[in-house]
Amino acid sequence: MSSPRTTSRPPVNRRLHPAWMVAAVAFLALVGAAGFRAAPGVLMVPLQNEFGWSTTVLSAAVSINLVLFGLTAPFAAALMERFGIRAVTSVALVLIGAGSALTVLVNQSWQILLTWGLLIGLGTGSMALVFAATIANTWFVKSRGLVIGILTAGSAAGQLVFLPFIAALAQSPGWRQASLLIAAGALAVVPLVLKFLKNSPADVGALPYGAEAAAPPESPATASAPAEPAEPAEPRRNAAVRALQVLKRASRVRTFWALVAGFAICGATTNGLIGTHFIPSAHDHGMAETTAAGLLAVVGIFDILGTIASGWLTDRFNPRILLAVYYQFRGIGLLVLPLLLSAEVQPSMIVFVVIYGLDWVATVPPTAAICRQVFGADGSVVFGWVFAAHQLGAAAAALAAGAVRDATGQYTYAWFAAAAMCTIAAVISATIRKDAGEKARIPVPA
């Protein structure tokens, strides 16, 4: 009599996938790098009071920072493929820390261009939103939109964490102590990055989260995995050459230019205007700087919620429609902002802050998704170029708004112009071809 056949089920591995540990460390790195994003609006008035520099001069420093913030991004994405995510991220955080710490020594306007502009611009550019896209594309197949949303919220969380303290320190004992706080926040994350931020799933003998065992990893950063023996040469390519080659290929696709135009306006209406000039504008209307900084911190709170929600929506709905809705709501908010600014915080201002916070960088997950859909394995580097446009738009808006303030004594025309640009961005986003991912895909290495 034969014994009954027994079948054993394969053991279920309930261990947390290493991709989530990498995402958690990446989130903390983005928080640490985000301190300076909260600084210019808070420190602008104290610097003017001490040195007598004009709004235009300080806006120029911010503009240099934003230009480098953007132009560094696509090369940083390629450098991450060449040298690894961990090395590039660590160097970027050290640059941010050095630039912030050296700011306490400035006494000439050109020196602030070097610290705020050059050093911090290069550092934050390497830790830009393209970092979030690279982590998501390298470590995740499933839930990419959600992960990009969570990591993008790291910048908002950094603003939320640092802004109230920067504002308080800027008042007493002074702006130099606030600069040192920013430096400490960036440098404190470096040990965690060196220990826990792995470059690719292959480093820990895993596949990207959600990938099937038989499916090859899609990102160049995972090209060294055993399942894809033909790819290892790709990460050794010159980073600058790769970034420029990707730009050349992407520039032939209409969708790329639509994303560039929309994201340039996105940057102009977030980092360029609200991030740089909201606090000085509120100060013009008699509002205390610490109160205005508190409002921006509330923007950061709702930015976290809005960006994560946008990532969830991006995994489920057409990203071009999401972009159009986001831009139009932002335009409406900017149109009414001049009517809401006053010495006291009114309920209408709270409504504005909540809505604007939900919409702040909600555009990132759908934009990154479209880059991935259309440009495949080049998606992270393409997003780096699109993000460069975001920061160029921010730089132009920061400088232009400062000039408007010096020329007219107020920011009203800057807010109205930004509202009109948002409507343009909404129209451009809505006209992106629905089938772009199938008809306009650029050939990439298999």
Side-chain angles (χ1 to χ4, degrees), residues 8 35 55 59 76-77 133 149 155 189 210 234 242 246 259 279 306 328-329 333 340 408 425 431:
S8 60
T55 305
S59 297
S155 294
V189 189
E234 181 67 19
R242 168 155 168 73
V246 170
L259 294 173
I279 293 176
Q328 192 56 66
F329 268 100
L340 307 180
T408 67
T431 57

Side-chain angles (χ1 to χ4, degrees), residues 387-410:
F387 181 75
H390 182 281
Q391 296 309 109
L392 290 175
L399 186 59
V404 167
R405 168 64 177 79
D406 285 341
T408 67
Q410 58 185 359

Side-chain angles (χ1 to χ4, degrees), residues 266-288:
C266 178
T269 52
T270 52
N271 301 88
L273 282 175
I274 295 293
T276 305
H277 293 287
F278 177 80
I279 293 176
S281 180
H283 181 73
D284 287 345
H285 287 78
M287 185 180 293

Side-chain angles (χ1 to χ4, degrees), residues 231-249:
E231 286 277 12
E234 181 67 19
R236 294 195 292 269
R237 296 172 58 188
N238 182 280
V241 171
R242 168 155 168 73
L244 293 173
Q245 287 177 341
V246 170
L247 174 62
K248 182 179 179 181
R249 291 196 292 268

Side-chain angles (χ1 to χ4, degrees), residues 380-417:
S380 293
V381 180
V382 171
F383 182 72
W385 286 111
V386 173
F387 181 75
H390 182 281
Q391 296 309 109
L392 290 175
L399 186 59
V404 167
R405 168 64 177 79
D406 285 341
T408 67
Q410 58 185 359
Y411 287 98
T412 302
Y413 293 123
W415 304 131
F416 287 162

Side-chain angles (χ1 to χ4, degrees), residues 15 17-19 139 200-209 217 225-226:
R15 184 172 62 90
H17 193 283
W139 281 90
S200 74
D203 290 350
V204 293
L207 290 172
Y209 177 73

